[in-house]
Amino acid sequence: MATYEYCCAQCGPFETRHPLGSAPSESLCPECGGASRRVFTTPHVFLMPKELGAAHERAEKSRDEPEVVSEVPGRGPARRPHPALARLPKPGT
Ligand SMILES: [Zn+2]
């Protein structure tokens, strides 16, 4: 048995258990009985920090749809020195 997630248009997400690989594309909402579509999510992403979940999703996606770049990524905008550095004593003063 595995847990599958569905989303009712009126009541929101809910989970049901089905034998592995036999989850129907629609399931009846336990609250209102309405037909609800299956939702595909990365397992347990809700337990991870948001950034880690995003990194996992990106890694999963790159298996089927790798990102293609046409040039080497730049270094981004030039970083300004931290303002506290201006208060440090200068050499020779
Ligand atoms: Zn419902």
Side-chain angles (χ1 to χ4, degrees):
M1 297 288 271
T3 302
Y4 295 93
E5 188 173 336
Y6 293 84
C7 188
C8 174
Q10 295 178 6
C11 311
F14 64 92
E15 294 180 340
T16 61
R17 291 181 64 78
H18 295 280
L20 202 62
S22 69
S25 59
E26 286 192 345
S27 184
L28 297 181
C29 173
E31 292 191 32
C32 72
S36 306
R37 293 183 56 193
R38 186 173 168 195
V39 179
F40 294 90
T41 56
T42 306
H44 304 294
V45 163
F46 57 91
L47 297 175
M48 293 183 205
K50 193 175 179 180
E51 296 80 12
L52 186 57
H56 271 273
E57 288 215 12
R58 188 173 175 181
E60 288 288 322
K61 186 179 175 188
S62 72
R63 290 182 180 176
D64 298 324
E65 304 168 32
E67 291 179 22
V68 178
V69 294
S70 57
E71 59 188 41
V72 177
R75 301 188 66 192
R79 294 179 58 188
R80 291 190 355 223
H82 193 277
L85 292 176
R87 296 194 300 270
L88 290 175
K90 305 284 184 289
T93 55

